[in-house]
Amino acid sequence: MDLLWEPGSHKYNVSSFIGELDEILFGAAFSDFTDEMLDRLIGALRKRGNSNATINRKLAALSKLLRKAHKMGDIRGLPEFQRLKEKAGRIRFLEPDEETRLFAAIFEKSEIYGRFCIFLIDTGARLGEGIGLHWQDIQGDRVPFWLTKNGRSRSVPLTERAALALQASDRTRRGPFTSIVQAKFRAAWNEAKQEVGLGAEPDVVPHILRHTCASRLVQGGIDIRRVQTWLGHQTLQMTMRYAHLASGDLDICVPILERAARTETK
């Protein structure tokens, strides 16, 4: 684990994934990882209610681990890992009134949790990136994220309220949000969303703050390539999930078609 994954929340998730897969296989020893074992894993994960997207993430971690084991000579054979087809479902993001109500409820529980939410929604940072931010890394009105999911660092400018959210933090700690424990933050989030009437929505999780940041950039006319850079997506395909929100860009096409139609009728 220490060799293949950098410290951070992603490594924690991967460890959990691998542990679950080991449990499904009953901790069995093997010298070849067969197609039958892979099929058994996929079937078991589906029975547990995992979507194809979730299964893909778990198998990606397993594939990386097994490739390393194969390279080291610990196992002989590997199956072909084929990515399962994922549904391009609707991406949920917070409307302004939902943000106001939810953040107010979170601020009542913890002032630092409330400021953390403001920081995340205005930077698009993942939870682990925000918690891992150190004071020494902050460069004036910009923040760098070093411990990212894909291992690529990036730097984004701060909005006024995001800068204020940082400035109000305790300078005696390593970073503005390093005191936050993810499990406790998520518990407070879930309580707050119940209180404001969003408890029945499974997509209203802390990661929705990143989706909301991306959607606001696209709806505001920022091109997809810049949004990709802002979010730190490894591929443009990941950012294209938000492209449909920029439908206003298509309005400029109408005059061209109407002009062509008028020319045709003359």
Side-chain angles (χ1 to χ4, degrees), residues 14-30:
V14 165
S15 178
S16 177
F17 294 165
I18 298 297
E20 181 183 10
L21 300 180
D22 187 50
E23 173 206 334
I24 292 172
L25 294 173
F26 304 108
F30 56 87

Side-chain angles (χ1 to χ4, degrees), residues 113-173:
Y113 287 174
R115 289 189 289 103
F116 188 46
C117 286
I118 289 174
F119 177 79
L120 293 179
I121 202 171
D122 276 9
T123 61
R126 301 177 180 91
L127 261 68
E129 294 171 349
I131 293 173
L133 182 65
H134 291 169
W135 286 116
Q136 64 188 33
D137 295 327
I138 300 174
Q139 306 157 350
D141 61 351
R142 300 182 70 88
V143 289
F145 299 113
W146 301 106
L147 300 177
T148 64
K149 184 178 178 180
N150 58 28
R152 296 182 179 181
S153 62
R154 71 184 188 282
S155 178
V156 300
L158 292 167
T159 63
E160 183 178 351
R161 68 172 184 166
L164 291 173
L166 289 181
Q167 292 167 12
S169 291
D170 185 355
R171 285 272 176 177
T172 63
R173 295 187 176 273

Side-chain angles (χ1 to χ4, degrees), residues 8-222:
S9 59
H10 181 59
K11 179 180 176 181
Y12 173 83
N13 291 335
V14 165
S15 178
S16 177
F17 294 165
I18 298 297
E20 181 183 10
L21 300 180
D22 187 50
E23 173 206 334
I24 292 172
L25 294 173
F26 304 108
F30 56 87
S31 57
D32 292 274
F33 197 91
T34 65
D35 287 311
E36 186 274 332
M37 293 170 70
L38 181 59
D39 291 342
R40 195 186 340 156
L41 282 178
I42 294 173
L45 290 171
R46 280 186 171 147
K47 284 183 179 179
R48 294 184 178 197
N50 287 219
S51 67
N52 280 1
T54 300
I55 294 174
N56 281 335
R57 288 197 296 274
K58 293 179 178 181
L59 294 186
L62 176 63
S63 175
K64 186 173 182 177
L65 185 67
L66 291 179
R67 289 199 309 273
K68 180 61 176 177
H70 183 264
K71 188 175 181 180
M72 295 173 66
D74 292 329
I75 58 174
R76 296 190 298 268
L78 288 178
E80 182 181 355
F81 283 78
Q82 294 186 342
R83 189 175 178 83
L84 303 177
K85 188 173 182 180
E86 299 180 14
K87 293 181 179 179
R90 174 179 178 263
I91 293 178
R92 178 73 161 88
F93 53 87
L94 293 178
E95 299 291 349
D97 67 305
E98 292 175 329
E99 176 192 331
T100 300
R101 289 186 286 115
L102 182 59
F103 283 16
I106 291 174
F107 262 106
E108 286 185 6
K109 299 182 182 304
S110 167
E111 189 259 348
I112 191 173
Y113 287 174
R115 289 189 289 103
F116 188 46
C117 286
I118 289 174
F119 177 79
L120 293 179
I121 202 171
D122 276 9
T123 61
R126 301 177 180 91
L127 261 68
E129 294 171 349
I131 293 173
L133 182 65
H134 291 169
W135 286 116
Q136 64 188 33
D137 295 327
I138 300 174
Q139 306 157 350
D141 61 351
R142 300 182 70 88
V143 289
F145 299 113
W146 301 106
L147 300 177
T148 64
K149 184 178 178 180
N150 58 28
R152 296 182 179 181
S153 62
R154 71 184 188 282
S155 178
V156 300
L158 292 167
T159 63
E160 183 178 351
R161 68 172 184 166
L164 291 173
L166 289 181
Q167 292 167 12
S169 291
D170 185 355
R171 285 272 176 177
T172 63
R173 295 187 176 273
R174 293 188 68 188
F177 304 114
T178 50
S179 64
I180 292 177
V181 177
Q182 279 205 38
K184 292 182 178 180
F185 172 73
R186 290 180 185 276
W189 172 282
N190 289 333
E191 289 178 8
K193 86 172 199 177
Q194 289 283 351
E195 292 169 4
V196 299
L198 296 172
E201 298 206 42
D203 293 332
V204 180
V205 294
H207 196 73
I208 199 176
L209 302 178
R210 182 167 162 85
H211 288 319
T212 303
C213 178
S215 68
R216 289 176 180 177
L217 291 173
V218 174
Q219 288 174 322
I222 304 300

